[in-house]
Amino acid sequence: MHPPPAFSARSLLTLGGFAVAVAVAAGLGGVAASSASSTYAALDLPPYAPPAWLFGPVWTVLYVMIAASAWVLWRAAQTRGAAWSPALTAWAVQLVLNAAWTPIFFAGDRYGLALVEIVVLLAAVVVTIALARRERPAAAWLLVPYVAWVAFATALNAGIVILN
């Protein structure tokens, strides 16, 4: 079985579905981070902390790549005649973990718990990349900037725990 053509209605609706899922995760984070600028400014930050304005543009690009990765994985599953795959399950798990970090860190001010959560998120993204690589390497490559940013964010979260 072959996947539907990239620009078929079904394929584009599925891409839209993945984009909506990512937007919901981002939106939950956005609601929880309504006071993020003031919280971030009030923290003692490690010297490698980026300026607050950088997070929005970086996450926008990463979220587009995360959605695109899922779509590529879905198309690979369709090629095999499957509706879903282990890599897509891992993708869904990491997206839930992604959505959970911001409320823990910013809304809950639970920096230590957020550090534990982001370490789990980092592991989930690594697993997602490993599974995606087996199914469709392009999907894995789309997640490489994401895992790099989450690794950096883990170090930043650890620095904040130490300093605060």
Short mmCIF file of all heavy atoms in Angstrom, two decimals, residues 16-32 63 67 91 95-96 98-100 102-103:
data_model
loop_
_atom_site.label_atom_id
_atom_site.label_comp_id
_atom_site.label_asym_id
_atom_site.label_seq_id
_atom_site.Cartn_x
_atom_site.Cartn_y
_atom_site.Cartn_z
N GLY A 16 -2.79 18.63 9.06
CA GLY A 16 -3.50 19.62 9.88
C GLY A 16 -3.79 19.09 11.27
O GLY A 16 -3.70 19.82 12.26
N GLY A 17 -4.14 17.82 11.36
CA GLY A 17 -4.40 17.21 12.67
C GLY A 17 -3.17 17.21 13.55
O GLY A 17 -3.24 17.53 14.75
N PHE A 18 -2.02 16.87 12.96
CA PHE A 18 -0.78 16.92 13.73
C PHE A 18 -0.43 18.36 14.12
O PHE A 18 0.03 18.61 15.24
CB PHE A 18 0.38 16.27 12.96
CG PHE A 18 0.28 14.78 12.89
CD1 PHE A 18 0.27 14.13 11.67
CD2 PHE A 18 0.20 14.01 14.04
CE1 PHE A 18 0.18 12.75 11.59
CE2 PHE A 18 0.10 12.62 13.98
CZ PHE A 18 0.11 12.00 12.74
N ALA A 19 -0.68 19.29 13.22
CA ALA A 19 -0.44 20.71 13.53
C ALA A 19 -1.35 21.18 14.68
O ALA A 19 -0.90 21.91 15.57
CB ALA A 19 -0.64 21.56 12.30
N VAL A 20 -2.59 20.73 14.68
CA VAL A 20 -3.51 21.10 15.76
C VAL A 20 -3.04 20.50 17.08
O VAL A 20 -3.04 21.17 18.13
CB VAL A 20 -4.95 20.67 15.43
CG1 VAL A 20 -5.85 20.74 16.66
CG2 VAL A 20 -5.51 21.53 14.31
N ALA A 21 -2.61 19.24 17.06
CA ALA A 21 -2.11 18.60 18.28
C ALA A 21 -0.93 19.38 18.86
O ALA A 21 -0.86 19.64 20.07
CB ALA A 21 -1.72 17.15 18.02
N VAL A 22 -0.02 19.77 17.99
CA VAL A 22 1.15 20.54 18.44
C VAL A 22 0.71 21.92 18.92
O VAL A 22 1.20 22.41 19.94
CB VAL A 22 2.19 20.63 17.30
CG1 VAL A 22 3.29 21.62 17.64
CG2 VAL A 22 2.79 19.25 17.04
N ALA A 23 -0.23 22.53 18.22
CA ALA A 23 -0.72 23.85 18.64
C ALA A 23 -1.41 23.79 20.01
O ALA A 23 -1.27 24.71 20.82
CB ALA A 23 -1.68 24.42 17.59
N VAL A 24 -2.12 22.70 20.27
CA VAL A 24 -2.75 22.54 21.58
C VAL A 24 -1.69 22.43 22.66
O VAL A 24 -1.78 23.07 23.71
CB VAL A 24 -3.70 21.31 21.59
CG1 VAL A 24 -4.11 20.93 23.00
CG2 VAL A 24 -4.93 21.59 20.74
N ALA A 25 -0.65 21.63 22.40
CA ALA A 25 0.45 21.51 23.37
C ALA A 25 1.11 22.87 23.60
O ALA A 25 1.37 23.26 24.73
CB ALA A 25 1.48 20.49 22.88
N ALA A 26 1.35 23.59 22.52
CA ALA A 26 1.95 24.92 22.63
C ALA A 26 1.02 25.88 23.34
O ALA A 26 1.45 26.69 24.17
CB ALA A 26 2.30 25.46 21.24
N GLY A 27 -0.26 25.79 23.03
CA GLY A 27 -1.25 26.67 23.67
C GLY A 27 -1.36 26.43 25.16
O GLY A 27 -1.46 27.39 25.94
N LEU A 28 -1.34 25.17 25.57
CA LEU A 28 -1.36 24.86 27.00
C LEU A 28 -0.15 25.48 27.69
O LEU A 28 -0.26 26.06 28.77
CB LEU A 28 -1.38 23.35 27.23
CG LEU A 28 -2.67 22.63 26.86
CD1 LEU A 28 -2.49 21.12 26.97
CD2 LEU A 28 -3.82 23.09 27.74
N GLY A 29 0.99 25.35 27.03
CA GLY A 29 2.19 25.97 27.57
C GLY A 29 2.08 27.48 27.61
O GLY A 29 2.50 28.11 28.58
N GLY A 30 1.49 28.05 26.57
CA GLY A 30 1.32 29.51 26.51
C GLY A 30 0.43 30.03 27.62
O GLY A 30 0.72 31.06 28.24
N VAL A 31 -0.66 29.32 27.90
CA VAL A 31 -1.55 29.72 28.99
C VAL A 31 -0.83 29.63 30.32
O VAL A 31 -0.90 30.53 31.16
CB VAL A 31 -2.84 28.86 28.98
CG1 VAL A 31 -3.65 29.06 30.25
CG2 VAL A 31 -3.67 29.16 27.76
N ALA A 32 -0.11 28.53 30.52
CA ALA A 32 0.61 28.33 31.78
C ALA A 32 1.76 29.31 31.93
O ALA A 32 2.18 29.61 33.05
CB ALA A 32 1.14 26.90 31.86
N TYR A 63 8.12 23.64 16.83
CA TYR A 63 6.78 23.05 16.76
C TYR A 63 6.39 22.71 15.32
O TYR A 63 5.74 21.68 15.08
CB TYR A 63 5.75 23.97 17.41
CG TYR A 63 5.75 23.90 18.92
CD1 TYR A 63 5.69 25.05 19.68
CD2 TYR A 63 5.78 22.68 19.60
CE1 TYR A 63 5.67 25.00 21.08
CE2 TYR A 63 5.77 22.62 20.99
CZ TYR A 63 5.71 23.78 21.72
OH TYR A 63 5.69 23.72 23.08
N ALA A 67 5.53 18.80 14.18
CA ALA A 67 4.32 18.40 13.44
C ALA A 67 4.69 17.74 12.12
O ALA A 67 4.12 16.70 11.74
CB ALA A 67 3.42 19.61 13.20
N TRP A 91 6.05 9.67 19.67
CA TRP A 91 5.85 11.09 19.34
C TRP A 91 4.73 11.67 20.20
O TRP A 91 4.86 12.76 20.74
CB TRP A 91 5.53 11.22 17.85
CG TRP A 91 5.30 12.62 17.41
CD1 TRP A 91 6.24 13.50 16.94
CD2 TRP A 91 4.05 13.34 17.39
NE1 TRP A 91 5.64 14.71 16.63
CE2 TRP A 91 4.32 14.63 16.91
CE3 TRP A 91 2.75 13.01 17.75
CZ2 TRP A 91 3.32 15.60 16.76
CZ3 TRP A 91 1.75 13.97 17.61
CH2 TRP A 91 2.04 15.24 17.13
N LEU A 95 5.00 14.60 23.13
CA LEU A 95 4.22 15.83 23.01
C LEU A 95 3.45 16.13 24.31
O LEU A 95 3.38 17.28 24.74
CB LEU A 95 3.25 15.75 21.82
CG LEU A 95 2.56 17.07 21.47
CD1 LEU A 95 3.58 18.13 21.04
CD2 LEU A 95 1.53 16.84 20.36
N VAL A 96 2.92 15.09 24.93
CA VAL A 96 2.25 15.27 26.22
C VAL A 96 3.25 15.75 27.27
O VAL A 96 2.97 16.68 28.04
CB VAL A 96 1.56 13.96 26.66
CG1 VAL A 96 1.09 14.03 28.11
CG2 VAL A 96 0.40 13.63 25.73
N ASN A 98 5.98 17.38 26.68
CA ASN A 98 6.33 18.75 26.30
C ASN A 98 5.30 19.72 26.86
O ASN A 98 5.65 20.76 27.43
CB ASN A 98 6.39 18.83 24.77
CG ASN A 98 6.68 20.20 24.24
OD1 ASN A 98 5.96 21.16 24.51
ND2 ASN A 98 7.73 20.31 23.46
N ALA A 99 4.03 19.38 26.71
CA ALA A 99 2.95 20.26 27.19
C ALA A 99 2.96 20.38 28.71
O ALA A 99 2.54 21.40 29.25
CB ALA A 99 1.60 19.73 26.71
N ALA A 100 3.43 19.35 29.40
CA ALA A 100 3.40 19.35 30.87
C ALA A 100 4.49 20.20 31.51
O ALA A 100 4.31 20.69 32.63
CB ALA A 100 3.51 17.91 31.38
N THR A 102 5.86 23.29 30.96
CA THR A 102 5.62 24.71 31.21
C THR A 102 4.72 24.96 32.41
O THR A 102 5.05 25.80 33.25
CB THR A 102 5.08 25.41 29.95
OG1 THR A 102 6.00 25.18 28.88
CG2 THR A 102 4.92 26.90 30.15
N PRO A 103 3.60 24.25 32.55
CA PRO A 103 2.78 24.47 33.76
C PRO A 103 3.53 24.12 35.05
O PRO A 103 3.37 24.81 36.06
CB PRO A 103 1.58 23.54 33.56
CG PRO A 103 1.51 23.29 32.11
CD PRO A 103 2.92 23.38 31.60
#
